[in-house]
mmCIF file of all heavy atoms in Angstrom:
data_model
loop_
_atom_site.group_PDB
_atom_site.id
_atom_site.type_symbol
_atom_site.label_atom_id
_atom_site.label_comp_id
_atom_site.label_asym_id
_atom_site.label_seq_id
_atom_site.Cartn_x
_atom_site.Cartn_y
_atom_site.Cartn_z
ATOM 1 N N SER A 11 -51.425 -23.752 -23.431
ATOM 2 C CA SER A 11 -50.810 -22.784 -24.338
ATOM 3 C C SER A 11 -49.835 -21.895 -23.585
ATOM 4 O O SER A 11 -50.151 -21.347 -22.538
ATOM 5 C CB SER A 11 -51.895 -21.929 -24.996
ATOM 6 O OG SER A 11 -51.361 -21.141 -26.033
ATOM 7 N N ASN A 12 -48.623 -21.741 -24.150
ATOM 8 C CA ASN A 12 -47.601 -20.976 -23.444
ATOM 9 C C ASN A 12 -46.746 -20.168 -24.415
ATOM 10 O O ASN A 12 -47.250 -19.577 -25.342
ATOM 11 C CB ASN A 12 -46.774 -21.895 -22.539
ATOM 12 C CG ASN A 12 -47.135 -21.725 -21.079
ATOM 13 O OD1 ASN A 12 -47.231 -20.610 -20.571
ATOM 14 N ND2 ASN A 12 -47.358 -22.824 -20.379
ATOM 15 N N GLY A 13 -45.424 -20.153 -24.180
ATOM 16 C CA GLY A 13 -44.521 -19.216 -24.824
ATOM 17 C C GLY A 13 -44.676 -19.043 -26.325
ATOM 18 O O GLY A 13 -44.791 -20.015 -27.071
ATOM 19 N N THR A 14 -44.641 -17.786 -26.755
ATOM 20 C CA THR A 14 -44.738 -17.432 -28.167
ATOM 21 C C THR A 14 -43.767 -16.296 -28.469
ATOM 22 O O THR A 14 -43.651 -15.355 -27.683
ATOM 23 C CB THR A 14 -46.159 -16.951 -28.529
ATOM 24 O OG1 THR A 14 -47.117 -17.919 -28.112
ATOM 25 C CG2 THR A 14 -46.299 -16.710 -30.022
ATOM 26 N N ASP A 15 -43.074 -16.381 -29.595
ATOM 27 C CA ASP A 15 -42.257 -15.264 -30.074
ATOM 28 C C ASP A 15 -41.834 -15.549 -31.510
ATOM 29 O O ASP A 15 -42.064 -16.658 -32.018
ATOM 30 C CB ASP A 15 -41.039 -15.016 -29.179
ATOM 31 C CG ASP A 15 -40.619 -13.540 -29.167
ATOM 32 O OD1 ASP A 15 -41.098 -12.771 -30.026
ATOM 33 O OD2 ASP A 15 -39.808 -13.159 -28.303
ATOM 34 N N TRP A 16 -41.197 -14.538 -32.118
ATOM 35 C CA TRP A 16 -40.841 -14.622 -33.531
ATOM 36 C C TRP A 16 -39.340 -14.448 -33.732
ATOM 37 O O TRP A 16 -38.665 -13.781 -32.933
ATOM 38 C CB TRP A 16 -41.593 -13.545 -34.313
ATOM 39 C CG TRP A 16 -43.061 -13.801 -34.391
ATOM 40 C CD1 TRP A 16 -43.736 -14.391 -35.419
ATOM 41 C CD2 TRP A 16 -44.057 -13.528 -33.394
ATOM 42 N NE1 TRP A 16 -45.075 -14.499 -35.126
ATOM 43 C CE2 TRP A 16 -45.299 -13.975 -33.888
ATOM 44 C CE3 TRP A 16 -44.000 -12.941 -32.127
ATOM 45 C CZ2 TRP A 16 -46.477 -13.852 -33.173
ATOM 46 C CZ3 TRP A 16 -45.169 -12.829 -31.396
ATOM 47 C CH2 TRP A 16 -46.403 -13.276 -31.915
ATOM 48 N N SER A 17 -38.829 -15.032 -34.808
ATOM 49 C CA SER A 17 -37.419 -14.856 -35.163
ATOM 50 C C SER A 17 -37.189 -13.403 -35.566
ATOM 51 O O SER A 17 -38.123 -12.702 -35.969
ATOM 52 C CB SER A 17 -37.036 -15.790 -36.310
ATOM 53 O OG SER A 17 -37.833 -15.535 -37.464
ATOM 54 N N PRO A 18 -35.940 -12.911 -35.472
ATOM 55 C CA PRO A 18 -35.679 -11.513 -35.814
ATOM 56 C C PRO A 18 -36.109 -11.122 -37.224
ATOM 57 O O PRO A 18 -36.500 -9.975 -37.453
ATOM 58 C CB PRO A 18 -34.161 -11.404 -35.639
ATOM 59 C CG PRO A 18 -33.835 -12.412 -34.587
ATOM 60 C CD PRO A 18 -34.756 -13.562 -34.883
ATOM 61 N N ASP A 19 -36.055 -12.051 -38.174
ATOM 62 C CA ASP A 19 -36.474 -11.726 -39.540
ATOM 63 C C ASP A 19 -37.976 -11.873 -39.748
ATOM 64 O O ASP A 19 -38.497 -11.599 -40.840
ATOM 65 C CB ASP A 19 -35.720 -12.570 -40.567
ATOM 66 C CG ASP A 19 -35.988 -14.073 -40.443
ATOM 67 O OD1 ASP A 19 -36.879 -14.466 -39.652
ATOM 68 O OD2 ASP A 19 -35.294 -14.850 -41.120
ATOM 69 N N GLY A 20 -38.696 -12.294 -38.707
ATOM 70 C CA GLY A 20 -40.145 -12.404 -38.776
ATOM 71 C C GLY A 20 -40.672 -13.571 -39.582
ATOM 72 O O GLY A 20 -41.882 -13.672 -39.815
ATOM 73 N N LYS A 21 -39.808 -14.496 -39.977
ATOM 74 C CA LYS A 21 -40.248 -15.599 -40.830
ATOM 75 C C LYS A 21 -40.649 -16.849 -40.055
ATOM 76 O O LYS A 21 -41.283 -17.749 -40.613
ATOM 77 C CB LYS A 21 -39.138 -15.949 -41.824
ATOM 78 C CG LYS A 21 -38.854 -14.842 -42.827
ATOM 79 C CD LYS A 21 -37.770 -15.248 -43.807
ATOM 80 C CE LYS A 21 -37.515 -14.144 -44.838
ATOM 81 N NZ LYS A 21 -36.459 -14.525 -45.812
ATOM 82 N N LEU A 22 -40.277 -16.908 -38.775
ATOM 83 C CA LEU A 22 -40.588 -18.074 -37.950
ATOM 84 C C LEU A 22 -41.333 -17.643 -36.695
ATOM 85 O O LEU A 22 -41.044 -16.585 -36.132
ATOM 86 C CB LEU A 22 -39.313 -18.812 -37.540
ATOM 87 C CG LEU A 22 -38.420 -19.368 -38.643
ATOM 88 C CD1 LEU A 22 -37.152 -19.944 -38.041
ATOM 89 C CD2 LEU A 22 -39.157 -20.415 -39.463
ATOM 90 N N MET A 23 -42.270 -18.463 -36.262
ATOM 91 C CA MET A 23 -42.923 -18.264 -34.988
ATOM 92 C C MET A 23 -42.654 -19.479 -34.111
ATOM 93 O O MET A 23 -42.829 -20.622 -34.548
ATOM 94 C CB MET A 23 -44.437 -18.089 -35.138
ATOM 95 C CG MET A 23 -45.125 -17.772 -33.801
ATOM 96 S SD MET A 23 -46.923 -17.513 -33.936
ATOM 97 C CE MET A 23 -47.468 -19.219 -34.024
ATOM 98 N N TYR A 24 -42.198 -19.234 -32.886
ATOM 99 C CA TYR A 24 -41.978 -20.296 -31.911
ATOM 100 C C TYR A 24 -43.184 -20.356 -30.976
ATOM 101 O O TYR A 24 -43.772 -19.324 -30.642
ATOM 102 C CB TYR A 24 -40.702 -20.029 -31.107
ATOM 103 C CG TYR A 24 -39.463 -19.960 -31.966
ATOM 104 C CD1 TYR A 24 -38.955 -18.731 -32.380
ATOM 105 C CD2 TYR A 24 -38.826 -21.117 -32.390
ATOM 106 C CE1 TYR A 24 -37.817 -18.657 -33.177
ATOM 107 C CE2 TYR A 24 -37.697 -21.055 -33.195
ATOM 108 C CZ TYR A 24 -37.207 -19.818 -33.590
ATOM 109 O OH TYR A 24 -36.092 -19.750 -34.390
ATOM 110 N N TYR A 25 -43.534 -21.564 -30.562
ATOM 111 C CA TYR A 25 -44.741 -21.734 -29.746
ATOM 112 C C TYR A 25 -44.595 -22.953 -28.840
ATOM 113 O O TYR A 25 -44.014 -23.975 -29.234
ATOM 114 C CB TYR A 25 -45.963 -21.918 -30.651
ATOM 115 C CG TYR A 25 -47.238 -22.257 -29.907
ATOM 116 C CD1 TYR A 25 -47.882 -21.289 -29.130
ATOM 117 C CD2 TYR A 25 -47.788 -23.532 -29.971
ATOM 118 C CE1 TYR A 25 -49.042 -21.600 -28.448
ATOM 119 C CE2 TYR A 25 -48.956 -23.839 -29.293
ATOM 120 C CZ TYR A 25 -49.579 -22.864 -28.527
ATOM 121 O OH TYR A 25 -50.713 -23.177 -27.842
ATOM 122 N N VAL A 26 -45.135 -22.834 -27.626
ATOM 123 C CA VAL A 26 -45.077 -23.909 -26.642
ATOM 124 C C VAL A 26 -46.480 -24.332 -26.219
ATOM 125 O O VAL A 26 -47.294 -23.490 -25.836
ATOM 126 C CB VAL A 26 -44.283 -23.463 -25.392
ATOM 127 C CG1 VAL A 26 -44.476 -24.453 -24.241
ATOM 128 C CG2 VAL A 26 -42.808 -23.306 -25.708
ATOM 129 N N ASP A 27 -46.779 -25.615 -26.324
ATOM 130 C CA ASP A 27 -47.859 -26.252 -25.585
ATOM 131 C C ASP A 27 -47.127 -27.083 -24.536
ATOM 132 O O ASP A 27 -46.531 -28.124 -24.858
ATOM 133 C CB ASP A 27 -48.713 -27.132 -26.500
ATOM 134 C CG ASP A 27 -49.852 -27.829 -25.762
ATOM 135 O OD1 ASP A 27 -49.849 -27.843 -24.515
ATOM 136 O OD2 ASP A 27 -50.742 -28.396 -26.429
ATOM 137 N N SER A 28 -47.131 -26.628 -23.288
ATOM 138 C CA SER A 28 -46.231 -27.186 -22.275
ATOM 139 C C SER A 28 -46.327 -28.689 -22.114
ATOM 140 O O SER A 28 -45.331 -29.368 -21.853
ATOM 141 C CB SER A 28 -46.486 -26.508 -20.924
ATOM 142 O OG SER A 28 -46.085 -25.158 -20.957
ATOM 143 N N MET A 29 -47.531 -29.238 -22.258
ATOM 144 C CA MET A 29 -47.704 -30.664 -22.022
ATOM 145 C C MET A 29 -47.020 -31.533 -23.083
ATOM 146 O O MET A 29 -46.801 -32.723 -22.865
ATOM 147 C CB MET A 29 -49.190 -31.007 -21.934
ATOM 148 C CG MET A 29 -49.906 -30.370 -20.757
ATOM 149 S SD MET A 29 -49.203 -30.790 -19.123
ATOM 150 C CE MET A 29 -48.217 -29.332 -18.764
ATOM 151 N N THR A 30 -46.662 -30.958 -24.207
ATOM 152 C CA THR A 30 -45.920 -31.716 -25.229
ATOM 153 C C THR A 30 -44.441 -31.808 -24.889
ATOM 154 O O THR A 30 -43.720 -32.594 -25.493
ATOM 155 C CB THR A 30 -46.057 -31.060 -26.610
ATOM 156 O OG1 THR A 30 -45.374 -29.801 -26.602
ATOM 157 C CG2 THR A 30 -47.521 -30.863 -26.989
ATOM 158 N N ARG A 31 -43.993 -30.931 -23.944
ATOM 159 C CA ARG A 31 -42.585 -30.816 -23.559
ATOM 160 C C ARG A 31 -41.701 -30.488 -24.767
ATOM 161 O O ARG A 31 -40.567 -30.943 -24.881
ATOM 162 C CB ARG A 31 -42.103 -32.091 -22.848
ATOM 163 C CG ARG A 31 -42.908 -32.432 -21.594
ATOM 164 C CD ARG A 31 -42.282 -33.569 -20.822
ATOM 165 N NE ARG A 31 -41.030 -33.147 -20.212
ATOM 166 C CZ ARG A 31 -40.117 -33.997 -19.746
ATOM 167 N NH1 ARG A 31 -40.301 -35.305 -19.867
ATOM 168 N NH2 ARG A 31 -39.003 -33.552 -19.191
ATOM 169 N N ARG A 32 -42.245 -29.644 -25.655
ATOM 170 C CA ARG A 32 -41.517 -29.223 -26.851
ATOM 171 C C ARG A 32 -41.649 -27.721 -27.043
ATOM 172 O O ARG A 32 -42.631 -27.118 -26.611
ATOM 173 C CB ARG A 32 -42.070 -29.877 -28.125
ATOM 174 C CG ARG A 32 -42.091 -31.358 -28.194
ATOM 175 C CD ARG A 32 -42.440 -31.806 -29.616
ATOM 176 N NE ARG A 32 -43.597 -31.111 -30.185
ATOM 177 C CZ ARG A 32 -44.827 -31.612 -30.222
ATOM 178 N NH1 ARG A 32 -45.086 -32.803 -29.701
ATOM 179 N NH2 ARG A 32 -45.828 -30.914 -30.764
ATOM 180 N N ILE A 33 -40.660 -27.144 -27.718
ATOM 181 C CA ILE A 33 -40.832 -25.856 -28.371
ATOM 182 C C ILE A 33 -41.047 -26.177 -29.843
ATOM 183 O O ILE A 33 -40.228 -26.859 -30.461
ATOM 184 C CB ILE A 33 -39.590 -24.956 -28.219
ATOM 185 C CG1 ILE A 33 -39.256 -24.724 -26.748
ATOM 186 C CG2 ILE A 33 -39.813 -23.621 -28.931
ATOM 187 C CD1 ILE A 33 -37.937 -23.997 -26.542
ATOM 188 N N ASP A 34 -42.168 -25.731 -30.392
ATOM 189 C CA ASP A 34 -42.443 -25.960 -31.803
ATOM 190 C C ASP A 34 -42.132 -24.710 -32.615
ATOM 191 O O ASP A 34 -42.009 -23.605 -32.079
ATOM 192 C CB ASP A 34 -43.906 -26.367 -32.001
ATOM 193 C CG ASP A 34 -44.183 -27.794 -31.551
ATOM 194 O OD1 ASP A 34 -43.211 -28.553 -31.370
ATOM 195 O OD2 ASP A 34 -45.361 -28.139 -31.376
ATOM 196 N N CYS A 35 -42.040 -24.890 -33.918
ATOM 197 C CA CYS A 35 -41.709 -23.814 -34.824
ATOM 198 C C CYS A 35 -42.673 -23.844 -36.007
ATOM 199 O O CYS A 35 -43.027 -24.929 -36.496
ATOM 200 C CB CYS A 35 -40.261 -23.981 -35.300
ATOM 201 S SG CYS A 35 -39.662 -22.675 -36.359
ATOM 202 N N PHE A 36 -43.114 -22.667 -36.448
ATOM 203 C CA PHE A 36 -43.989 -22.534 -37.607
ATOM 204 C C PHE A 36 -43.337 -21.599 -38.630
ATOM 205 O O PHE A 36 -42.613 -20.674 -38.259
ATOM 206 C CB PHE A 36 -45.333 -21.903 -37.219
ATOM 207 C CG PHE A 36 -46.200 -22.720 -36.321
ATOM 208 C CD1 PHE A 36 -46.013 -22.716 -34.944
ATOM 209 C CD2 PHE A 36 -47.236 -23.482 -36.847
ATOM 210 C CE1 PHE A 36 -46.838 -23.451 -34.105
ATOM 211 C CE2 PHE A 36 -48.070 -24.223 -36.014
ATOM 212 C CZ PHE A 36 -47.870 -24.209 -34.642
ATOM 213 N N ASP A 37 -43.650 -21.792 -39.885
ATOM 214 C CA ASP A 37 -43.391 -20.762 -40.881
ATOM 215 C C ASP A 37 -44.456 -19.687 -40.693
ATOM 216 O O ASP A 37 -45.636 -19.997 -40.494
ATOM 217 C CB ASP A 37 -43.466 -21.342 -42.292
ATOM 218 C CG ASP A 37 -42.387 -22.391 -42.542
ATOM 219 O OD1 ASP A 37 -41.221 -22.126 -42.197
ATOM 220 O OD2 ASP A 37 -42.732 -23.467 -43.058
ATOM 221 N N TYR A 38 -44.035 -18.431 -40.737
ATOM 222 C CA TYR A 38 -44.939 -17.333 -40.421
ATOM 223 C C TYR A 38 -45.060 -16.368 -41.590
ATOM 224 O O TYR A 38 -44.048 -15.895 -42.131
ATOM 225 C CB TYR A 38 -44.436 -16.581 -39.185
ATOM 226 C CG TYR A 38 -45.373 -15.505 -38.712
ATOM 227 C CD1 TYR A 38 -46.598 -15.842 -38.156
ATOM 228 C CD2 TYR A 38 -45.044 -14.161 -38.832
ATOM 229 C CE1 TYR A 38 -47.475 -14.866 -37.730
ATOM 230 C CE2 TYR A 38 -45.915 -13.176 -38.398
ATOM 231 C CZ TYR A 38 -47.139 -13.538 -37.854
ATOM 232 O OH TYR A 38 -48.004 -12.570 -37.427
ATOM 233 N N ASP A 39 -46.279 -16.088 -41.996
ATOM 234 C CA ASP A 39 -46.560 -15.117 -43.052
ATOM 235 C C ASP A 39 -46.969 -13.808 -42.378
ATOM 236 O O ASP A 39 -48.089 -13.675 -41.889
ATOM 237 C CB ASP A 39 -47.679 -15.624 -43.958
ATOM 238 C CG ASP A 39 -47.928 -14.732 -45.158
ATOM 239 O OD1 ASP A 39 -47.937 -13.489 -44.985
ATOM 240 O OD2 ASP A 39 -48.121 -15.257 -46.269
ATOM 241 N N ALA A 40 -46.050 -12.855 -42.356
ATOM 242 C CA ALA A 40 -46.292 -11.615 -41.633
ATOM 243 C C ALA A 40 -47.445 -10.816 -42.217
ATOM 244 O O ALA A 40 -48.185 -10.144 -41.484
ATOM 245 C CB ALA A 40 -45.028 -10.762 -41.624
ATOM 246 N N LEU A 41 -47.621 -10.884 -43.525
ATOM 247 C CA LEU A 41 -48.672 -10.092 -44.166
ATOM 248 C C LEU A 41 -50.062 -10.574 -43.772
ATOM 249 O O LEU A 41 -50.930 -9.783 -43.388
ATOM 250 C CB LEU A 41 -48.506 -10.143 -45.684
ATOM 251 C CG LEU A 41 -49.504 -9.299 -46.495
ATOM 252 C CD1 LEU A 41 -49.344 -7.819 -46.144
ATOM 253 C CD2 LEU A 41 -49.296 -9.529 -47.992
ATOM 254 N N SER A 42 -50.274 -11.871 -43.830
ATOM 255 C CA SER A 42 -51.605 -12.418 -43.549
ATOM 256 C C SER A 42 -51.782 -12.857 -42.097
ATOM 257 O O SER A 42 -52.901 -13.016 -41.625
ATOM 258 C CB SER A 42 -51.873 -13.619 -44.460
ATOM 259 O OG SER A 42 -51.001 -14.698 -44.137
ATOM 260 N N GLY A 43 -50.671 -13.088 -41.401
ATOM 261 C CA GLY A 43 -50.753 -13.621 -40.041
ATOM 262 C C GLY A 43 -51.025 -15.108 -39.995
ATOM 263 O O GLY A 43 -51.424 -15.646 -38.954
ATOM 264 N N ALA A 44 -50.762 -15.795 -41.118
ATOM 265 C CA ALA A 44 -50.983 -17.249 -41.174
ATOM 266 C C ALA A 44 -49.742 -17.994 -40.703
ATOM 267 O O ALA A 44 -48.610 -17.530 -40.861
ATOM 268 C CB ALA A 44 -51.325 -17.669 -42.603
ATOM 269 N N VAL A 45 -49.961 -19.170 -40.110
ATOM 270 C CA VAL A 45 -48.864 -20.047 -39.706
ATOM 271 C C VAL A 45 -49.020 -21.386 -40.419
ATOM 272 O O VAL A 45 -50.131 -21.825 -40.712
ATOM 273 C CB VAL A 45 -48.831 -20.254 -38.176
ATOM 274 C CG1 VAL A 45 -48.450 -18.980 -37.465
ATOM 275 C CG2 VAL A 45 -50.166 -20.769 -37.659
ATOM 276 N N SER A 46 -47.886 -22.046 -40.692
ATOM 277 C CA SER A 46 -47.916 -23.328 -41.394
ATOM 278 C C SER A 46 -46.643 -24.095 -41.079
ATOM 279 O O SER A 46 -45.687 -23.555 -40.515
ATOM 280 C CB SER A 46 -48.040 -23.116 -42.905
ATOM 281 O OG SER A 46 -46.925 -22.384 -43.398
ATOM 282 N N GLY A 47 -46.641 -25.357 -41.464
ATOM 283 C CA GLY A 47 -45.436 -26.177 -41.349
ATOM 284 C C GLY A 47 -44.974 -26.428 -39.934
ATOM 285 O O GLY A 47 -43.766 -26.394 -39.651
ATOM 286 N N ARG A 48 -45.902 -26.704 -39.026
ATOM 287 C CA ARG A 48 -45.512 -26.942 -37.635
ATOM 288 C C ARG A 48 -44.539 -28.110 -37.530
ATOM 289 O O ARG A 48 -44.755 -29.162 -38.112
ATOM 290 C CB ARG A 48 -46.752 -27.225 -36.788
ATOM 291 C CG ARG A 48 -46.463 -27.383 -35.299
ATOM 292 C CD ARG A 48 -47.751 -27.542 -34.516
ATOM 293 N NE ARG A 48 -47.520 -27.555 -33.078
ATOM 294 C CZ ARG A 48 -48.487 -27.528 -32.161
ATOM 295 N NH1 ARG A 48 -49.761 -27.483 -32.555
ATOM 296 N NH2 ARG A 48 -48.188 -27.545 -30.871
ATOM 297 N N ARG A 49 -43.448 -27.886 -36.769
ATOM 298 C CA ARG A 49 -42.480 -28.951 -36.526
ATOM 299 C C ARG A 49 -41.805 -28.718 -35.176
ATOM 300 O O ARG A 49 -41.884 -27.618 -34.617
ATOM 301 C CB ARG A 49 -41.421 -29.033 -37.614
ATOM 302 C CG ARG A 49 -40.503 -27.835 -37.777
ATOM 303 C CD ARG A 49 -40.930 -26.973 -38.904
ATOM 304 N NE ARG A 49 -40.001 -25.909 -39.258
ATOM 305 C CZ ARG A 49 -40.359 -24.825 -39.926
ATOM 306 N NH1 ARG A 49 -41.624 -24.647 -40.292
ATOM 307 N NH2 ARG A 49 -39.474 -23.898 -40.236
ATOM 308 N N THR A 50 -41.155 -29.745 -34.662
ATOM 309 C CA THR A 50 -40.458 -29.646 -33.381
ATOM 310 C C THR A 50 -39.165 -28.870 -33.562
ATOM 311 O O THR A 50 -38.331 -29.216 -34.402
ATOM 312 C CB THR A 50 -40.148 -31.032 -32.811
ATOM 313 O OG1 THR A 50 -41.378 -31.730 -32.573
ATOM 314 C CG2 THR A 50 -39.363 -30.926 -31.513
ATOM 315 N N PHE A 51 -39.010 -27.794 -32.778
ATOM 316 C CA PHE A 51 -37.744 -27.070 -32.757
ATOM 317 C C PHE A 51 -36.789 -27.738 -31.785
ATOM 318 O O PHE A 51 -35.653 -28.045 -32.121
ATOM 319 C CB PHE A 51 -37.986 -25.603 -32.368
ATOM 320 C CG PHE A 51 -36.718 -24.832 -32.129
ATOM 321 C CD1 PHE A 51 -35.878 -24.515 -33.188
ATOM 322 C CD2 PHE A 51 -36.360 -24.434 -30.848
ATOM 323 C CE1 PHE A 51 -34.696 -23.806 -32.968
ATOM 324 C CE2 PHE A 51 -35.195 -23.725 -30.615
ATOM 325 C CZ PHE A 51 -34.360 -23.411 -31.675
ATOM 326 N N VAL A 52 -37.241 -27.994 -30.565
ATOM 327 C CA VAL A 52 -36.431 -28.705 -29.586
ATOM 328 C C VAL A 52 -37.354 -29.408 -28.597
ATOM 329 O O VAL A 52 -38.408 -28.885 -28.236
ATOM 330 C CB VAL A 52 -35.457 -27.752 -28.850
ATOM 331 C CG1 VAL A 52 -36.205 -26.788 -27.952
ATOM 332 C CG2 VAL A 52 -34.423 -28.526 -28.043
ATOM 333 N N ALA A 53 -36.974 -30.608 -28.204
ATOM 334 C CA ALA A 53 -37.688 -31.352 -27.173
ATOM 335 C C ALA A 53 -36.942 -31.186 -25.853
ATOM 336 O O ALA A 53 -35.711 -31.271 -25.815
ATOM 337 C CB ALA A 53 -37.786 -32.824 -27.549
ATOM 338 N N ILE A 54 -37.684 -30.940 -24.781
ATOM 339 C CA ILE A 54 -37.083 -30.752 -23.464
ATOM 340 C C ILE A 54 -36.971 -32.109 -22.782
ATOM 341 O O ILE A 54 -37.979 -32.770 -22.511
ATOM 342 C CB ILE A 54 -37.911 -29.790 -22.606
ATOM 343 C CG1 ILE A 54 -38.071 -28.444 -23.316
ATOM 344 C CG2 ILE A 54 -37.277 -29.626 -21.228
ATOM 345 C CD1 ILE A 54 -36.783 -27.728 -23.612
ATOM 346 N N GLU A 55 -35.751 -32.515 -22.493
ATOM 347 C CA GLU A 55 -35.514 -33.840 -21.926
ATOM 348 C C GLU A 55 -35.108 -33.792 -20.460
ATOM 349 O O GLU A 55 -34.826 -34.832 -19.868
ATOM 350 C CB GLU A 55 -34.437 -34.554 -22.748
ATOM 351 C CG GLU A 55 -34.869 -34.763 -24.206
ATOM 352 C CD GLU A 55 -33.779 -35.387 -25.061
ATOM 353 O OE1 GLU A 55 -32.634 -35.483 -24.577
ATOM 354 O OE2 GLU A 55 -34.083 -35.773 -26.210
ATOM 355 N N LEU A 56 -35.093 -32.592 -19.856
ATOM 356 C CA LEU A 56 -34.761 -32.483 -18.445
ATOM 357 C C LEU A 56 -35.891 -33.067 -17.619
ATOM 358 O O LEU A 56 -37.055 -32.676 -17.768
ATOM 359 C CB LEU A 56 -34.531 -31.015 -18.079
ATOM 360 C CG LEU A 56 -34.077 -30.720 -16.649
ATOM 361 C CD1 LEU A 56 -32.709 -31.323 -16.390
ATOM 362 C CD2 LEU A 56 -34.035 -29.204 -16.418
ATOM 363 N N GLN A 57 -35.575 -34.019 -16.754
ATOM 364 C CA GLN A 57 -36.591 -34.723 -15.978
ATOM 365 C C GLN A 57 -37.418 -33.754 -15.135
ATOM 366 O O GLN A 57 -36.890 -32.832 -14.521
ATOM 367 C CB GLN A 57 -35.931 -35.765 -15.072
ATOM 368 C CG GLN A 57 -36.928 -36.661 -14.348
ATOM 369 C CD GLN A 57 -36.232 -37.765 -13.561
ATOM 370 O OE1 GLN A 57 -35.009 -37.833 -13.515
ATOM 371 N NE2 GLN A 57 -37.009 -38.627 -12.934
ATOM 372 N N ASP A 58 -38.736 -33.949 -15.126
ATOM 373 C CA ASP A 58 -39.700 -33.183 -14.333
ATOM 374 C C ASP A 58 -39.846 -31.726 -14.779
ATOM 375 O O ASP A 58 -40.457 -30.926 -14.080
ATOM 376 C CB ASP A 58 -39.328 -33.207 -12.839
ATOM 377 C CG ASP A 58 -39.319 -34.615 -12.267
ATOM 378 O OD1 ASP A 58 -40.164 -35.424 -12.693
ATOM 379 O OD2 ASP A 58 -38.465 -34.903 -11.399
#
C-alpha cells in the first residue's frame, strides 16, 4: 500500500499498490468516505 491523494474537487481518490505498477483511481463519496469504481489511471512502464 502506497501513495494516496484526492482530486481538487474531492470527487476522485488516487491510490497506489506498488506491486501492480499502476496508479489507480476511485470515485470518492466525501460525505460517507466510501470508494467505488476502481480503475487504472496510469500504468508505469519505466523499466525497473
Side-chain angles (χ1 to χ4, degrees):
S11 190
N12 255 312
T14 307
D15 210 347
W16 291 263
S17 59
D19 63 8
K21 294 181 178 180
L22 300 175
M23 184 179 79
Y24 300 97
Y25 174 71
V26 167
D27 180 347
S28 292
M29 296 302 100
T30 68
R31 302 188 70 196
R32 302 190 312 261
I33 302 172
D34 286 344
C35 183
F36 294 83
D37 296 313
Y38 185 69
D39 186 317
L41 183 62
S42 67
V45 292
S46 61
R48 184 175 186 172
R49 64 260 189 201
T50 298
F51 172 70
V52 68
I54 303 300
E55 298 176 350
L56 184 64
Q57 187 175 3
D58 299 325

